[in-house]
Amino acid sequence: GFELLMAPYAVAHLKLGMQLAGQDLTEAQQKTWAYNFSGDERVNVFLTNTLGEAERKVETLFGPFRIITEEAKAAARVKQEMPVLVVLGNPPYSGHSANRSWEVKNGKRQRTFIGKLLQDYYQVDGKPLGERNPKWLQDDYVKFIRWGQWRIEQTGGGVLAFITNHGYLDNPTFRGMRQQLMNAFTDIYILDLHGNTKKKEVAPDGSKDENVFDIQQGVSIGIFVKEPGKNGPAKVHHAELWGSQNEKYKRLRAADIRKTKWSTLGPSGPYYLFTPKDTQLLSEFSCAWKVTDVFPVNSAGIVTARDSLTVGWSPDEIWERVNDFAEMPQEEAREKYALGDDVRDWKVHLAQADVQSSGPDRKKVMPVLYRPLDERFTYYTGTTRGLICMPRRDVMRHMLTGDNVAITVGRAGQVIDQREWNIVFSTRCITDFNVFRRGGTQLFPLYLYPDPAANGELFANGSGRHVNLKAEFIAQVEEKTGLQFIDDGTGDLEKTLGPEDVFHYIYAVFHSPAYRERYAEFLKIDFPRVPLTSDCGLFRRLCGLGGELVALHVMESPALGNKITSFPVAGVNRMEKRFPKYFPPGESAPGSADPIEKGRVYINESQYFDGVPPEVWEFRVGGYQVCDKWLKDRRGRSISFDDYEHYCKIVVALNDTIRLMSEIDEAIASWPIQ
């Protein structure tokens, strides 16, 4: 245990019963609650910006504003001179921080005081984090933790105790922060209160888990102790609370840090996690190839910013819309297409200019993977902050220049939910950033093409493309399998292997239920990794199974024609708002006492898709229940013949995916993969 020590300048007791408002207290109340100030003594509570630098020279204000000057000077003395032994609070959680890390002084842009301190969190093991978008390190609560750490270090000892967003405990973006906290303190106590509705957290026993506050973001209590004269790395102690809000309140009121059952963690690289993890499995997982290293050229999906304008159901719809939009007065276009106010990355006049500068050109109408097994259409010029605010042209052009295939993967499964990891899919199209339910997606094309704008850059391969696989990874695949790598297509898998064989192998591994279960804790927080096999027979088998999966998911498999679903009732074919509704086999049909022989998905009161198995109806990709999501997105629309055909193919694709995933696990005899 330890004691919380107050700084020597602080008032011994600050009670509500003080005679600050002039009310009378009894003698007994005065002994219990009151504090009599003497001389010029004041309550040591200061109005100041905690995250701002303590200015030695404060601009003097006059008249009634002089008190502001005195307050600023007093706060600066505390920040600079007084030994602060306790920093306690509940700082704001705001990803879009109002406390700037940059400012302009004397015409030059420079980091603010807190911006400079925060740079330590952008390093891990003495090297830059390497995060493409580490924006969450700018969250207000992170800045307050960094300030508290700095202030305790200035004193040489003390306690930092905050209740905050719990995202920093295991998110890989915060691994530098966690390492810095371990180095700064001698003991760290983490009480994770969970309650994250964004992650759909549930208690380990399956019961409902609620937040201690009425917010969506899960929270935790962090107590960071620095003993004078001792250095880190800190011992990290962890405990957690699950359950209802009232149950958590009850347990917190009765809690004592000395009686709490803490588990001791051993955070280590590369993640320095403040949550319990199996260290042996972590080592096993970390030794495999990270997918971002396997495919060096990759990027997040495109961000349209205005789907009501930029995404359509058919090429003709987008083409007509773009032509209409380009010639329309700005404010009329804003109203017609519900575009809202202009923002930094998307403005009506820039979008119109982008379309006008390119024609319009019918060739720029492109399919886009909008949701799993749901392609839509967009008008793609590749111009940043044009019609599409973030087109990611450097990567997306490789999906447009020639024949290609890509894997699209989310980084952290826990941002979707706590169930099975399923944020992986394949495509031949450019992809939307929000293909999955939350957290965005990263696109990894298999082939790279020369840029037409770069005067026909030449590659060694005769097709004009080369493979987007790291040379060291290819060399290790060759060494493990004993097969020779060829530059394009597939090999014979007896003496040679090609890039598409490698792609199919990776895709099969990522669809192994055993892989997803074994590494579940790490797939929640980071990109998947690729374990390699030395068994050429296993490699060959997984290539075949992965190839079948890819063909199903890009809608090219001949098996998709083997329908198991029908649409037997004629009618208006309208997808009504209160639907879809699923009825599994054995239940009574609406309006009938007869049991349903096969699963039915109703789109309105009388029409339905028949022959949808329960496991197919429940199957999820990217956090979406695919058969349900596809229909929900078409509420208010009529289901066309093409829609019917496509939905039947979705059912087949998912049904065969379930079968192939089982066969993948049967092929892999044991884990770790050998």
Side-chain angles (χ1 to χ4, degrees), residues 604-624:
N604 54 44
E605 293 290 350
S606 60
Q607 292 181 286
Y608 56 87
F609 288 93
D610 195 29
V612 180
E615 62 272 19
V616 170
W617 173 252
E618 294 292 338
F619 194 83
R620 294 174 182 269
V621 177
Y624 288 125

Side-chain angles (χ1 to χ4, degrees), residues 306-561:
R306 297 295 185 275
D307 288 10
S308 61
L309 170 68
T310 58
V311 178
W313 300 99
S314 70
D316 288 343
E317 179 184 356
I318 279 293
W319 177 241
E320 292 173 9
R321 189 187 300 168
V322 164
N323 278 277
D324 180 51
F325 169 75
E327 301 302 325
M328 193 176 292
Q330 286 185 35
E331 294 310 309
E332 187 178 332
R334 190 189 308 277
E335 182 177 355
K336 180 174 181 178
Y337 293 106
L339 301 177
D341 295 334
D342 288 347
V343 293
R344 186 196 66 176
D345 291 332
W346 199 92
K347 303 180 189 300
V348 170
H349 76 276
L350 292 179
Q352 289 181 320
D354 184 27
V355 175
Q356 292 163 357
S357 67
S358 64
D361 184 352
R362 180 80 186 222
K363 293 179 181 178
K364 290 182 167 57
V365 176
M366 301 290 179
V368 56
L369 183 65
Y370 191 70
R371 299 292 182 265
L373 292 171
D374 189 356
E375 288 183 10
R376 310 275 178 94
F377 292 87
T378 191
Y379 187 83
Y380 187 88
T381 66
T383 305
T384 302
R385 296 184 185 178
L387 184 69
I388 296 175
C389 76
M390 296 182 185
R392 323 281 194 195
R393 181 185 179 278
D394 286 349
V395 171
M396 296 299 159
R397 69 177 181 82
H398 299 296
M399 305 303 296
L400 302 173
T401 305
D403 183 42
N404 211 340
V405 65
I407 188 170
T408 181
V409 184
R411 180 168 191 179
Q414 68 180 6
V415 303
I416 290 177
D417 57 42
Q418 297 294 301
R419 286 174 273 197
E420 179 193 32
W421 181 84
N422 54 37
I423 45 177
V424 58
F425 209 64
S426 57
T427 181
R428 294 196 183 277
C429 307
I430 60 176
T431 59
D432 186 82
F433 180 76
N434 295 308
V435 166
F436 303 140
R437 191 180 71 84
R438 289 187 67 239
T441 184
Q442 200 81 1
L443 184 76
F444 302 88
L446 179 58
Y447 293 111
L448 305 179
Y449 284 85
D451 188 351
N455 299 318
E457 176 187 353
L458 297 178
F459 296 107
N461 189 279
S463 68
R465 66 183 184 181
H466 70 127
V467 68
N468 181 30
L469 294 171
K470 195 167 187 175
E472 292 84 351
F473 175 75
I474 293 173
Q476 193 168 104
V477 173
E478 287 183 311
E479 179 185 351
K480 288 270 190 180
T481 62
L483 302 175
Q484 182 179 353
F485 186 80
I486 60 176
D487 293 332
D488 202 272
T490 59
D492 59 19
L493 295 180
E494 295 294 337
K495 294 182 179 180
T496 62
L497 71 144
E500 291 172 37
D501 296 315
V502 175
F503 187 93
H504 296 157
Y505 170 84
I506 293 170
Y507 205 61
V509 169
F510 288 173
H511 278 82
S512 161
Y515 171 88
R516 296 179 177 191
E517 181 179 356
R518 184 176 184 84
Y519 303 117
E521 291 302 307
F522 315 116
L523 293 171
K524 287 179 182 179
I525 62 173
D526 206 357
F527 284 114
R529 292 175 179 255
V530 184
L532 295 176
T533 180
S534 299
D535 184 338
C536 193
L538 175 59
F539 182 83
R540 189 181 301 116
R541 177 66 174 145
L542 293 180
C543 286
L545 295 170
E548 289 187 62
L549 279 173
V550 170
L552 288 168
H553 295 171
V554 300
M555 289 290 174
E556 294 176 356
S557 172
L560 295 173

